[in-house]
Amino acid sequence: MKEQEIYYYSDELNDEFSGSHIIPRVIDEKYKYLHKNIFWNLAHFLVQNVLSVPIKLLYAKLKKYKKEGYFVYANHTQVFADTFLTSNVIYPKRNYLIVNPENVSMKFLGNFVQMFGAIPIPTGRDGMKNFLNAIKYHIQKGHSITIYPEAHIWPYYTKIRPFKSVSFKYPIELDKPVFCITNTYQKRGKNKVKITSYIDGPFFVNKDLETKQEQKKDLRDRVYNQMVERSKNSNFEFIKYEYKDKK
C-alpha cells in the first residue's frame, strides 16, 4: 500500500486544500444569474438531467418534498465529485449549488459549471440583490439549493469541520425545510476508498425562538451535530490531516 499523504492545517475555518489556483472573476450586478435563453436552458437541462442519469438515485425520504423547494447542507470533501454526489441523490429535482466565484471563473468551463447549477457568491455588495433573487426564484420553482457550510475543500476528510451559522439564514427567511448529506469514507481494497452518503432531515426552523439569530444557531447546531454523528461511519483516512501551529 502506498504511503499515506499528510496535509497540515492551522485554521479549520479558512485553510483550503483543493489544489486550484484560479483567479476569481468579479461577480457584481452585471453577472447573469437567471437565463431566459431557450438554448441555454436546453443545455442546462442536458448537463444536469441527462449526462449523469445512469448514476442518479432518488431517496425515499425526499419524495415527500419533490414539489417543494428546500436547502441541502453537505460536507465539502471532493473537488469535483461533491456536485454530482448531491445532485444524484436529489434527482429528478433540479439542484443548484452556492459556490465561490472561482468555480465559474475558468475559461470555457465556467459556463458549463453554471449550467450544472452553480450560483456564485457575489464579490461585492452590488451583486447581492441578484444573488438573493436567484436563490428565491429557484426555491419558489421547487428546486433544491445545496450549500457547503465548511466553505473550503478538504479532500477525503473524515470529520466535520466547525462552520458558521450565517448560511442558515436562507431557509429561515424563505421558511423552507433543510436536509443534510454527509459523505463518509470506507476502505475498499488496498489503495481504494468508497464513499457512503447519508441523508438526514427534514430539519425545520424552530419558530418558538424569538430572534432570527437564535433560529440560525439552533438550525446550524442540529444539522452540525447530525453530520458529526454520521461522520463516525468513516473508518478509513485516505489522507491524514494534522494540526500545525503557525507559531
Side-chain angles (χ1 to χ4, degrees):
M1 182 173 180
K2 71 175 184 178
E3 187 177 349
Q4 185 182 41
E5 286 188 80
I6 300 177
Y7 289 1
Y8 295 95
Y9 70 91
S10 58
D11 185 343
E12 286 185 293
L13 288 175
N14 298 301
D15 284 354
E16 168 77 57
F17 295 101
S18 67
S20 62
H21 302 283
I22 302 168
I23 299 174
R25 62 182 288 188
V26 175
I27 307 295
D28 54 19
E29 76 280 0
K30 297 178 182 178
Y31 184 84
K32 196 169 185 178
Y33 281 100
L34 302 174
H35 294 265
K36 306 298 183 182
N37 185 288
I38 187 172
F39 297 107
W40 174 280
N41 283 293
L42 177 60
H44 167 70
F45 175 82
L46 291 172
V47 168
Q48 195 175 71
N49 291 316
V50 175
L51 294 184
S52 55
V53 160
I55 59 172
K56 289 187 172 181
L57 300 171
L58 179 61
Y59 280 66
K61 68 171 59 184
L62 298 176
K63 286 183 179 179
K64 183 179 177 181
Y65 298 90
K66 64 182 180 181
K67 294 183 179 180
E68 181 179 351
Y70 54 74
F71 292 87
V72 179
Y73 291 78
N75 54 332
H76 212 2
T77 59
Q78 291 290 320
V79 177
F80 298 110
D82 274 352
T83 56
F84 288 99
L85 287 169
T86 307
S87 295
N88 291 347
V89 169
I90 295 168
Y91 180 81
K93 180 188 287 290
R94 284 198 179 187
N95 181 50
Y96 292 80
L97 309 101
I98 295 180
V99 302
N100 290 321
E102 289 86 348
N103 289 272
V104 295
S105 300
M106 296 173 286
K107 195 172 183 180
F108 303 119
L109 286 177
N111 285 337
F112 180 84
V113 173
Q114 191 183 2
M115 286 178 186
F116 195 78
I119 304 176
I121 298 169
T123 51
R125 293 179 63 86
D126 53 358
M128 188 58 68
K129 180 181 178 181
N130 290 341
F131 171 73
L132 295 175
N133 284 342
I135 292 175
K136 186 176 180 180
Y137 172 85
H138 289 303
I139 289 295
Q140 290 177 339
K141 285 287 186 180
H143 304 156
S144 61
I145 293 181
T146 296
I147 298 171
Y148 301 100
E150 294 172 323
H152 302 283
I153 299 173
W154 285 27
Y156 297 97
Y157 191 58
T158 58
K159 297 181 177 63
I160 304 300
R161 287 165 278 150
F163 50 77
K164 299 177 181 178
S165 62
V166 60
S167 64
F168 288 84
K169 66 182 180 181
Y170 307 119
I172 289 172
E173 291 176 356
L174 297 175
D175 193 22
K176 292 298 179 181
V178 163
F179 292 87
C180 65
I181 295 177
T182 310
N183 297 309
T184 65
Y185 296 91
Q186 292 80 34
K187 189 174 181 179
R188 184 179 182 181
K190 290 185 177 181
N191 288 318
K192 295 182 179 180
V193 59
K194 74 172 183 178
I195 301 176
T196 303
S197 300
Y198 293 90
I199 307 168
D200 290 289
F203 301 87
F204 297 98
V205 178
N206 184 352
K207 296 181 179 179
D208 291 332
L209 298 174
E210 293 183 0
T211 68
K212 287 186 177 181
Q213 200 63 32
E214 291 176 314
Q215 291 174 349
K216 280 194 299 182
K217 184 181 184 305
D218 170 74
L219 191 54
R220 176 266 179 204
D221 289 349
R222 283 185 281 139
V223 169
Y224 176 79
N225 290 336
Q226 184 60 51
M227 293 176 73
V228 168
E229 193 61 31
R230 288 296 192 185
S231 71
K232 295 176 183 178
N233 289 302
S234 289
N235 59 22
F236 178 58
E237 286 186 313
F238 189 70
I239 296 175
K240 187 176 180 63
Y241 287 80
E242 291 187 1
Y243 176 76
K244 185 176 182 180
D245 197 329
K246 288 183 178 180
K247 297 179 181 179

